[in-house]
Amino acid sequence: MLLPNPERLALARMRGAIDRVDDGLIVLLAARRRLVRVVAALKPRAGVPPRDLARERQVRTRTQSLAHRLDLPADTAAGLLDLAIVDACRQQGMAIDLDQGALAPSPAMMQPIMPDTLRSESRALHWLRLLPPPRRLAPLLRALPQRWQRNLLERAMARVLAVPLQDGTLDFMRGRRLGIEVSDLQLCWVLEWCDGRLCVGDGVPEASVRGSATDLLLLASRLEDADTLFFQRALELTGDTELGLTARNLLERLPWESVPLGLRIALNRGARFARAARAAHRGEAV
């Protein structure tokens, strides 16, 4: 009697495991639809609008964070979540706003990549690799007068943190000093409370957050969350852990809508560009 081919046997088992995962996805989607029906009935009683965009943004952020930790492509996770949101909207009889929902096009509708597209991507990688990495800009930035650096940082903080400054959320910084270290640019600032605002001082920090310019920009633009960056050791926290965690939690709870639109766009585009340039220098796909 011939024994079955071990590779075929292993393949059949793996395919069977995939089938069970697929079945689980369908079961979970069916369970989600039942929960959506309950939520749809509760919304008017709770005074919540049929479609809560703030809630959707939170869900998308959490999904991307989880996908990053599990090494799942961001587009795959976003596409799966888009399908679930579209299904929930249809279930509740709501119009599907592609702009608000930021839904990705269906893979079946995507045009094949043409040679011109590939050439464009190749040229983009070429130009990105020509850009000097941040560490080479460090001597130039250090040559800038300290007062210029401080004024620029203080103005940016005043705009980004306008709401926490007004509602007292930043009161924990009274009498405290928090350091921000940009490792590749060899820059360091000490933030402290000055007359109802955050300013850059000269004291010794009680806690410090250290990271590269790109990673700190990704954090500031909300393209990466703090937990993911700390887990990847892209950011380091030293000194008074409680002070550092309080500041980190503040950033996570900061209402992104309260940041001026122009600044949000600048942060987002700047962070995406910095990430693409870093990927190009590392030889990764942009």
Side-chain angles (χ1 to χ4, degrees), residues 236-247:
E236 297 179 7
L237 176 61
T238 58
D240 188 329
T241 304
E242 182 180 357
L243 175 60
L245 292 177
T246 302

Side-chain angles (χ1 to χ4, degrees), residues 81-99:
L81 184 61
D82 286 341
L83 290 174
I85 292 176
V86 168
D87 182 71
C89 288
R90 288 172 176 165
Q91 199 178 344
Q92 299 174 76
M94 291 186 291
I96 303 169
D97 189 335
L98 297 182
D99 292 330

Side-chain angles (χ1 to χ4, degrees), residues 142-182:
R142 289 200 305 274
L144 292 176
Q146 285 290 327
R147 66 178 184 278
W148 291 7
Q149 297 181 29
R150 293 183 177 186
N151 288 339
L152 181 61
L153 183 58
E154 288 175 358
R155 289 181 182 179
M157 289 191 299
R159 299 191 68 185
V160 173
L161 302 174
V163 172
L165 284 168
Q166 293 174 2
D167 63 18
T169 307
L170 279 169
D171 285 354
F172 73 92
M173 281 294 296
R174 293 179 184 274
R176 312 299 300 273
R177 293 184 300 277
L178 177 66
I180 306 294
E181 298 182 32
V182 189

Side-chain angles (χ1 to χ4, degrees), residues 9 21 33 42-43 46 77 82 89-90 93 96 146 153 170 184 207 221 244 257 279:
L9 181 60
V21 171
R33 287 176 61 84
L42 291 174
K43 281 180 179 178
D82 286 341
C89 288
R90 288 172 176 165
I96 303 169
Q146 285 290 327
L153 183 58
L170 279 169
D184 47 359
S221 64
E257 298 79 9

